[in-house]
């Protein structure tokens, strides 16, 4: 016999010790979920002439904006209407391994044409997101190459406000294809390449000569699923302060964003408030990074807010910002060269707490070593999807410093699941106070961050470029 809430109440009414049963009644699963996500193939109308078919959440791109309350438990029913198993990862949240959405951590797959109910307590507050976490390997219809991404905003207990309204922007490419070698901008991060790392990279290249490994390029680009010039412009008023929540939902691209004649005052990185609200002319976001920034609308006109790359902007990566009463063709002005430096948002003259332990990882690319795909190794080891063996054991309560050394020319957006980390050295400089869950590591550079082991369970670390994580660039942590 199963007891549902109604029969439980009926039986409870017959018993004198009603209080004893009250906790049981509270623990009963709610009949209806707070949210329903449905994974299915659908169409994205980037423009009337450009309609692409891909896998979506609830038939739309981006997936619906999910607003949650920090600390208030939420129940989500996820239906998978596709022919392959799926996973929904709740990126940037401090939640248990069983619901985080990575099979490497032990989250169960949602079977093809199946359903799974999950429940978790959202935290921390700020801009998070949800996306698929399946491996795509050579299938460009799967994983984050598809349209499975949407923003999550976790409302904080106390919101300081100081803006007039919020605008969510989800940056994403469509129609991926393989090529040999890419044209990605690589020189926007502060810091200089290390000779020693260049030498290690050169030695690796000598072992794997031949054509360059496959890279992924895209035909179409858009913000909130619309090519630049299509969809509604962002309509603003002179003097208005707009809080932009920007999410790079790419499968592997680094994105930039500028609004000519305007500055971005950064209030949060990856959803976490920054100690110094510095103003910058350009945003740079590695794959899966988020930036929350306030723009004071003080230069009336009709503007293109877009990517610095003429090619990507020309293929749709931008959105029109239109002041009330302004007329004419949207204007684009190329901003002056600007280097991205996470440290400007940190605590000045502060030193982070000393770590209990330091773990070093050397990142090496084996050019074209896997049937033409690059293989990625961490300390000489490519992650095995077959064994999914944890490489590192951490102890609850300890502070760990991870030091990454990149012996490749690629930028790697490094991501740690289920924990936030504090940047402690970036671009060759010490820093403190910048809390993130993804950080870009420049070509032949180093980065260091600390995390406190405060959320027991298997924890995945990986490069957020789908093409890198699927071909070795992962490591698994477990708690002792
Ligand atoms: Cu990478």
């Amino acid at each position: 016999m199963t007891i549902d809430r109604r029969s439980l109440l009926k039986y409870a009414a017959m018993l004198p010790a009603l209080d004893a049963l009250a906790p049981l009644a509270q623990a009963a699963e709610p009949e209806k979920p707070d949210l329903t996500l449905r994974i299915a193939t659908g169409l994205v109308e980037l423009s009337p002439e450009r309609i692409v078919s891909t896998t979506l959440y609830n038939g739309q791109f981006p997936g619906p904006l999910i607003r949650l309350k920090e600390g208030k438990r939420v129940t989500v029913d996820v239906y998978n209407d596709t022919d392959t198993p799926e996973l929904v990862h709740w990126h940037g949240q401090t939640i248990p391994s069983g619901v985080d959405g990575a099979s490497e951590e032990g989250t169960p797959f949602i079977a093809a044409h199946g359903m799974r109910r999950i429940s978790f307590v959202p935290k921390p507050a700020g801009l998070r997101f949800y996306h698929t976490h399946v491996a795509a390997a050579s299938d460009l219809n799967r994983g984050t190459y598809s349209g499975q991404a949407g923003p999550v905003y976790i409302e904080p207990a106390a919101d300081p406000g100081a803006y007039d309204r919020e605008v969510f922007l989800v940056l994403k490419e469509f129609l991926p294809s393989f090529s040999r070698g890419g044209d990605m901008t690589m020189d926007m991060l502060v810091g200089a390449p290390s000779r020693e790392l260049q030498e290690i990279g050169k030695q690796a290249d000598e072992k794997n000569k031949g054509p360059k490994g496959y890279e992924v390029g895209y035909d179409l680009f858009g913000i909130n699923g619309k090519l630049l010039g299509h969809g509604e412009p962002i309509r603003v008023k002179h003097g208005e302060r707009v809080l932009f929540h920007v999410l790079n939902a790419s499968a592997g691209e680094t994105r930039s964003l500028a609004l000519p004649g305007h500055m971005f005052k950064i209030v949060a990185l990856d959803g976490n408030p920054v100690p110094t609200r510095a103003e910058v002319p350009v945003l740079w976001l590695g794959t899966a990074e988020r930036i929350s920034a306030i723009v004071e609308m003080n230069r009336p006109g009709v503007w293109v807010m877009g990517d610095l790359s003429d090619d990507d902007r020309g293929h749709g990566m931008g959105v029109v910002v239109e002041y009330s009463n302004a007329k004419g063709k949207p204007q684009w002005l190329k901003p002056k060269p600007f280097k991205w430096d996470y440290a400007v948002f940190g605590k000045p003259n502060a030193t982070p707490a000393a770590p209990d332990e330091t773990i070093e990882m050397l990142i090496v690319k084996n050019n074209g070593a896997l049937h033409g795909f690059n293989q990625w190794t961490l300390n000489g080891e490519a992650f095995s999807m077959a064994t999914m063996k944890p490489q590192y054991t951490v102890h609850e309560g300890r502070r760990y410093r991870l030091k990454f050394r990149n012996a490749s020319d690629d930028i790697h957006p490094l991501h740690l699941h289920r924990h936030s980390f504090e940047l402690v050295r970036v671009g060759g400089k010490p820093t403190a106070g910048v809390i993130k869950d993804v950080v870009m590591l420049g070509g032949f550079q180093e980065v260091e961050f600390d995390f406190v082991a405060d959320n027991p369970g298997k924890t995945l670390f990986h490069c957020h470029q789908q093409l890198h994580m699927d071909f070795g660039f992962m490591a698994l942590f477990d708690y002792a």
Side-chain angles (χ1 to χ4, degrees):
M1 179 189 157
T2 56
I3 300 177
D4 61 23
R5 190 194 290 250
R6 190 179 302 153
S7 55
L8 190 66
L9 289 172
K10 191 173 80 187
Y11 290 117
M14 298 189 292
L15 296 168
L18 188 65
D19 283 351
L21 273 170
L24 246 179
Q26 273 171 10
E29 283 255 47
E31 285 165 20
K32 268 195 169 174
D34 301 301
L35 293 165
T36 299
L37 285 179
R38 202 167 267 281
I39 305 164
T41 306
L43 300 176
V44 184
E45 190 182 303
L46 290 154
S47 79
E49 290 79 37
R50 301 298 226 146
I51 298 159
V52 299
S53 171
T54 184
T55 311
L56 300 170
Y57 291 124
N58 294 7
Q60 63 177 82
F61 185 86
L65 167 63
I66 297 176
R67 279 194 180 266
L68 303 173
K69 275 248 153 39
E70 187 179 27
K72 184 171 182 270
R73 181 169 285 277
V74 64
T75 306
V76 189
D77 282 357
V78 186
Y79 293 85
N80 177 9
D81 294 344
T82 73
D83 297 331
T84 46
E86 268 298 344
L87 287 161
V88 179
H89 170 46
W90 300 91
H91 185 120
Q93 294 203 45
T94 311
I95 55 177
S97 304
V99 289
D100 183 52
S103 61
E104 296 83 356
E105 295 173 342
T107 308
F109 281 94
I110 307 145
H113 302 283
M115 183 277 233
R116 186 174 178 232
R117 170 169 286 195
I118 57 166
S119 169
F120 59 88
V121 178
K123 61 177 186 286
L127 180 59
R128 315 281 155 211
F129 80 119
Y130 58 108
H131 64 82
T132 175
H133 212 282
V134 300
S138 61
D139 186 349
L140 295 181
N141 293 311
R142 294 212 74 200
T144 54
Y145 300 117
S146 76
Q148 292 172 81
V152 172
Y153 195 79
I154 304 178
E155 306 284 354
D159 192 348
Y163 53 87
D164 296 309
R165 65 193 177 97
E166 291 174 299
V167 175
F168 287 80
L169 303 176
V170 181
L171 283 42
K172 179 82 179 166
E173 306 78 15
F174 296 88
L175 298 182
S177 59
F178 288 115
S179 63
R180 293 274 192 183
D183 57 351
M184 223 198 278
T185 314
M186 294 292 177
D187 59 353
M188 72 295 196
L189 297 176
V190 292
S194 137
R195 284 266 176 82
E196 192 199 340
L197 290 170
Q198 284 174 321
E199 190 51 42
I200 296 168
K202 216 166 95 187
Q203 283 167 16
D205 282 349
E206 263 153 35
K207 273 189 234 153
N208 292 284
K209 288 188 174 138
K212 280 193 172 247
Y214 297 117
E215 298 290 347
V216 176
Y218 304 86
D219 281 355
L220 297 174
F221 299 73
I223 295 183
N224 292 347
K226 294 289 179 191
L227 300 184
L228 171 60
H230 296 274
E232 289 296 302
I234 299 168
R235 295 195 174 86
V236 300
K237 288 193 203 89
H238 193 183
E240 200 176 20
R241 288 157 61 82
V242 179
L243 174 57
F244 287 98
H245 290 300
V246 187
L247 156 64
N248 179 0
S250 176
E253 303 251 305
T254 304
R255 293 258 72 93
S256 56
L257 199 68
L259 177 59
H262 296 76
M263 296 291 279
F264 296 95
K265 182 185 264 189
I266 309 288
V267 299
L269 294 176
D270 293 347
N272 308 305
V274 291
T276 304
R277 291 183 160 196
E279 287 203 346
V280 293
V282 177
L283 305 180
W284 282 100
L285 302 100
T287 299
E289 281 191 298
R290 289 91 65 208
I291 296 178
S292 302
I294 294 173
V295 178
E296 195 177 324
M297 296 296 167
N298 53 13
R299 197 165 169 192
V302 183
W303 303 103
V304 169
M305 178 151 76
D307 198 288
L308 266 54
S309 155
D310 292 338
D311 199 41
D312 294 356
R313 208 176 56 256
H315 285 85
M317 190 49 86
V319 62
V320 174
V321 173
E322 189 182 286
Y323 279 72
S324 55
N325 303 319
K327 298 247 155 22
K329 227 178 132 244
Q331 302 294 305
W332 168 255
L333 298 170
K334 194 184 165 81
K336 289 197 190 94
F338 173 75
K339 293 251 181 190
W340 187 250
D341 181 2
Y342 293 111
V344 303
F345 310 110
K347 251 184 234 159
N349 309 316
T351 314
D356 296 304
E357 202 180 310
T358 299
I359 297 168
E360 201 173 291
M361 292 192 204
L362 175 69
I363 299 154
V364 172
K365 171 166 81 180
N366 295 326
N367 182 55
L370 294 170
H371 310 286
F373 288 93
N374 297 323
Q375 182 194 50
W376 293 91
T377 62
L378 300 175
N379 295 341
E381 192 185 342
F383 185 77
S384 165
M385 299 280 214
T387 62
M388 292 196 190
K389 201 173 81 67
Q391 287 99 328
Y392 301 97
T393 303
V394 296
H395 296 260
E396 194 174 357
R398 279 205 197 179
R399 184 179 175 97
Y400 292 86
R401 180 156 299 172
L402 301 186
K403 177 177 178 175
F404 300 93
R405 308 180 70 223
N406 181 9
S408 76
D409 60 355
D410 282 282
I411 289 176
H412 301 293
L414 307 176
H415 173 46
L416 184 66
H417 281 232
R418 304 175 58 253
H419 298 75
S420 299
F421 52 74
E422 179 179 9
L423 298 184
V424 299
R425 200 166 71 89
V426 63
K429 283 185 300 188
T431 187
V434 175
I435 309 296
K436 295 186 78 357
D437 53 61
V438 181
V439 63
M440 284 185 277
L441 168 58
F444 303 114
Q445 290 206 31
E446 295 182 349
V447 73
E448 292 174 38
F449 62 69
D450 289 5
F451 77 96
V452 175
D454 57 2
N455 190 16
K458 281 183 186 161
T459 299
L460 191 61
F461 161 79
H462 62 91
C463 174
H464 218 289
Q465 286 207 40
Q466 186 85 53
L467 195 60
H468 296 182
M469 65 186 279
D470 290 351
F471 293 94
F473 203 145
M474 280 199 192
L476 196 56
F477 288 81
D478 203 359
Y479 278 69

